[in-house]
Amino acid sequence: MDAIWQGLIKALQLIISLDPEVLEISGRSLRISVTSTLLASLICLPLASLVHFNNFPGKRVLVNLTQTFYSIPTVAVGLFVFVLFSRAGPLGGLNLLFTPTVMVIGQMLLITPVLLGLTISALSGVDRPIIDTARSLGATGFQTTLLVLKEARFAVTAAVIMGFGRAISEVGIALIVGGNIRGFTRVITSAISLETSKGDLELAIALGIILMFAALVVNILLNMQQQR
Amino acid sequence: MRRVTYYLSGILLILSLLFGAAGCSSPSASSSPLQPKQRLRLATTTSLYDTGLWGYLEPMFEQKYGVELDIMYTGTGKALEYGRRGDVDIITVHSKTREDQFVSDGYGVKRVPFAYNYFLIVGPEDDPAGLEGLTPEEAFGKLIDTDQGSFISRGDDSGTHSKEKAIWQEIGYDYETVRNAGPWYIEAGIGMGPTLMMASEKQGYTLTDMGTYLTFKFRTDLEVVVDERVLELVPIVIEGEILLNVYSAIIVNPEKASPAKMEMANHLVDFLTSPEIQQLIGDYGTEDYGMQLFIPHAGADPEQD
């Protein structure tokens, strides 16, 4: 019990004193996960609209498959990206392995199914008459899509929040393709894993608290956006 | 249609901005934007990292050569695999036979030993299997024969794990037999530090390198409660020719990795074997632990005696 208290106190000290290492790791974590969530959203929202507004054979299979990938283990994505970007692999020439960029790519792959699936569900929740009205008033397909996305913004935001949560909390990709390099690819989760294995619990606890806090801030921001 | 074009170009703009930002998010790398620093990738065995040796040497090397050293700490097996795939430029590991194999297979250019220490078998103070005073070979034989006391194996294909397998082989046991010999044999699948902590929790024996054992046994961080972390393990078997543990650096074949990094990789080897750094390696930790963690030994393999 004593160790936990000592850890908590030390953790708070590290946070309040703005420890440079803690700040640096947290900043990198946020930057990487916000980037991957934004990029994945930019791809998934239009894609989800396309899937939703068009009927094509295999649509149901696609949606089911997407939902299956909600639960893909992060280490599996990590392994896949590693094999892809390792120098001996097909994209090895890009020389991206063990960089923050490849971590962004991995996280995008990880959260794309969640974003896509949940956005499709969100769009399905919009009343048909709204779409019909818009169309009859002469809205183009693009305008209708924007309108529906706007109508479904609560559920769409929830999808983005889910995606961000999965991105910032994963550790498999960060360790396998990031390599946990100090000052370059070390993020909150991989640092927690390292510090715990070294028995350096207070830094691990401090980073855990910051991770929760970061998630809180992002959620508040997105919720404010929702209420506009 | 025009809005779609705007939308797409917007996406492209943000994409390029964000990728640029993510690509150079290292504070030290972005400090001189005109001349980006070269990065050298090193995969090292956990023992050189857990003891803090690389953390100590890294800034000196980076300053001397103006390079960013990216250190991946992992088991010897994985470090060699990174090398075979060409994902790192240089490795520092400790498993002579596998290193020789690596070089003769053409994956490594040269292997340069730079330090050594000894493995030891640690275990609970009451020594339930009565291994004290035995040779490593006898101790392992007694463990498997008497079924007294458990053994925590690294089980991760690391250099320490290779050494353990070599000892089993020495006394005529097939490793598969050992793995299935009973519940006393525990395969952890984790690094040296965590394995020591597990052995302490379970009060079992384990094979460890001297450096990691000393750093985990005597944490010198004075600011925090120390007794929570002190390992409840003591050295049990410390002598035996087979326990010699040599650390060496291997430059990965530039045809597999990156030809541009060859020169810098050579600099790292020269750095490790230079008299002043050899001196620092020898002195490392002596003040905190009262004994050497690593015995400097540049160039050739130390003689077994």
Side-chain angles (χ1 to χ4, degrees):
Chain A
M1 236 3 243
D2 201 38
I4 300 177
W5 272 121
Q6 291 285 346
L8 269 178
I9 292 167
K10 189 76 196 290
L12 288 176
Q13 281 173 354
L14 281 173
I15 296 171
I16 293 165
S17 66
L18 300 177
D19 182 75
E21 191 172 6
V22 170
L23 277 188
E24 186 226 299
I25 294 173
S26 318
R28 181 175 306 113
S29 238
L30 269 179
R31 204 158 44 228
I32 290 177
S33 297
V34 167
T35 309
S36 60
T37 312
L38 271 177
L39 291 178
S41 305
L42 287 173
I43 295 167
C44 288
L45 299 191
L47 200 62
S49 316
L50 268 181
V51 173
H52 177 69
F53 287 112
N54 293 293
N55 277 318
F56 52 90
K59 181 173 172 178
R60 177 152 261 154
V61 179
L62 180 77
V63 172
N64 278 334
L65 208 64
T66 310
Q67 286 172 349
T68 310
F69 276 101
Y70 285 8
S71 45
I72 189 169
T74 60
V75 282
V77 178
L79 175 65
F80 175 69
V81 177
F82 178 85
V83 172
L84 213 58
F85 284 91
S86 167
R87 198 178 286 269
L91 296 178
L94 297 177
N95 209 1
L96 281 179
L97 195 67
F98 307 134
T99 62
T101 311
V102 79
M103 295 168 74
V104 170
I105 295 171
Q107 291 188 353
M108 281 172 65
L109 281 178
L110 176 74
I111 64 174
T112 293
V114 181
L115 272 172
L116 197 60
L118 290 181
T119 309
I120 293 174
S121 309
L123 296 180
S124 315
V126 175
D127 286 340
R128 192 74 215 171
I130 295 180
I131 301 165
D132 294 339
T133 312
R135 286 239 167 94
S136 66
L137 289 174
T140 62
F142 184 70
Q143 285 169 331
T144 316
T145 308
L146 276 187
L147 177 75
V148 173
L149 273 174
K150 212 174 161 194
E151 281 298 313
R153 65 185 180 278
F154 288 93
V156 171
T157 311
V160 174
I161 290 176
M162 269 298 285
F164 175 75
R166 193 148 156 78
I168 198 160
S169 62
E170 71 80 26
V171 63
I173 296 167
L175 282 178
I176 297 176
V177 302
N180 200 13
I181 300 165
R182 190 174 59 82
F184 189 46
T185 58
R186 186 164 297 169
V187 289
I188 294 182
T189 49
S190 60
I192 290 178
S193 156
L194 171 69
E195 298 305 332
T196 310
S197 77
K198 280 179 16 190
D200 203 353
L201 296 183
E202 51 283 331
L203 185 55
I205 295 174
L207 290 166
I209 294 174
I210 290 177
L211 186 63
M212 294 302 297
F213 187 71
L216 181 74
V217 171
V218 170
N219 270 300
I220 290 174
L221 284 178
L222 284 174
N223 274 316
M224 277 161 58
Q225 162 75 19
Q226 240 176 11
Q227 257 121 49
R228 273 202 318 179
Chain B
M1 210 45 230
R2 262 172 74 190
R3 294 188 67 167
V4 180
T5 326
Y6 282 139
Y7 186 71
L8 283 178
S9 51
I11 290 182
L12 277 178
L13 182 70
I14 297 171
L15 256 165
S16 51
L17 278 176
L18 289 173
F19 265 90
C24 58
S25 57
S26 164
S28 36
S30 55
S31 59
S32 60
L34 291 178
Q35 200 179 21
K37 276 189 180 172
Q38 194 184 355
R39 306 195 83 97
L40 185 72
R41 277 184 192 149
L42 164 81
T44 181
T45 163
T46 48
S47 41
L48 294 174
Y49 199 87
D50 283 348
T51 51
L53 182 66
W54 265 123
Y56 172 66
L57 297 178
E58 183 186 357
M60 297 180 205
F61 178 72
E62 289 184 338
Q63 206 161 19
K64 185 162 180 189
Y65 292 99
V67 66
E68 281 285 326
L69 189 60
D70 287 345
I71 302 179
M72 250 82 55
Y73 52 93
T74 172
T76 291
K78 204 164 153 199
L80 290 169
E81 179 59 25
Y82 280 154
R84 271 191 287 271
R85 301 188 68 94
D87 290 329
V88 292
D89 308 305
I90 185 166
I91 54 181
T92 53
V93 286
H94 62 144
S95 182
K96 188 172 185 308
T97 25
R98 290 163 76 187
E99 290 163 23
D100 289 340
Q101 182 71 37
F102 183 82
V103 174
S104 65
D105 284 349
Y107 294 111
V109 177
K110 60 175 175 182
R111 168 182 176 274
V112 183
F114 62 92
Y116 69 95
N117 59 18
Y118 290 93
F119 285 107
L120 69 162
I121 299 173
V122 296
E125 202 155 3
D126 58 357
D127 191 13
L131 305 184
E132 192 133 27
L134 301 180
T135 68
E137 292 89 344
E138 288 166 352
F140 270 38
K142 199 164 177 188
L143 269 174
I144 198 166
D145 288 340
T146 58
D147 217 18
Q148 294 283 315
S150 53
F151 183 86
I152 322 290
S153 166
R154 283 284 292 277
D156 64 349
D157 212 21
S158 57
T160 311
H161 193 206
S162 305
K163 181 62 83 176
E164 184 208 321
K165 287 193 252 188
I167 300 176
W168 290 119
Q169 203 181 1
E170 193 68 28
I171 56 173
Y173 279 101
D174 178 42
Y175 186 59
E176 280 306 307
T177 322
V178 178
R179 288 178 79 180
N180 301 312
W184 62 273
Y185 188 80
I186 300 164
E187 283 181 73
I190 44 181
M192 194 66 255
T195 303
L196 281 168
M197 308 234 278
M198 189 188 279
S200 174
E201 292 286 331
K202 291 185 176 290
Q203 285 293 287
Y205 298 93
T206 192
L207 181 73
T208 173
D209 63 285
M210 183 60 93
T212 312
Y213 170 70
L214 286 176
T215 19
F216 273 74
K217 177 77 182 173
F218 307 104
R219 301 296 294 229
T220 48
D221 191 353
L222 296 175
E223 285 174 68
V224 285
V225 259
V226 168
D227 41 353
E228 290 291 332
R229 292 157 158 183
V230 168
L231 290 175
E232 287 177 41
L233 296 171
V234 295
I236 303 281
V237 175
I238 50 170
E239 274 177 19
E241 217 175 90
I242 203 163
L243 296 179
L244 180 71
N245 180 27
V246 183
Y247 293 98
S248 42
I250 306 177
I251 297 177
V252 175
N253 188 341
E255 281 163 30
K256 311 272 181 203
S258 171
K261 305 292 177 65
M262 181 73 177
E263 193 191 349
M264 194 49 79
N266 267 311
H267 283 324
L268 186 58
V269 171
D270 293 344
F271 172 83
L272 283 173
T273 52
S274 68
E276 63 265 46
I277 297 303
Q278 284 278 301
Q279 176 78 33
L280 290 178
I281 292 175
D283 291 344
Y284 182 72
T286 45
E287 232 168 71
D288 292 332
Y289 306 107
M291 64 178 290
Q292 274 185 312
L293 296 189
F294 300 101
I295 302 150
H297 195 95
D301 281 288
E303 292 286 320
Q304 294 208 6
D305 51 25

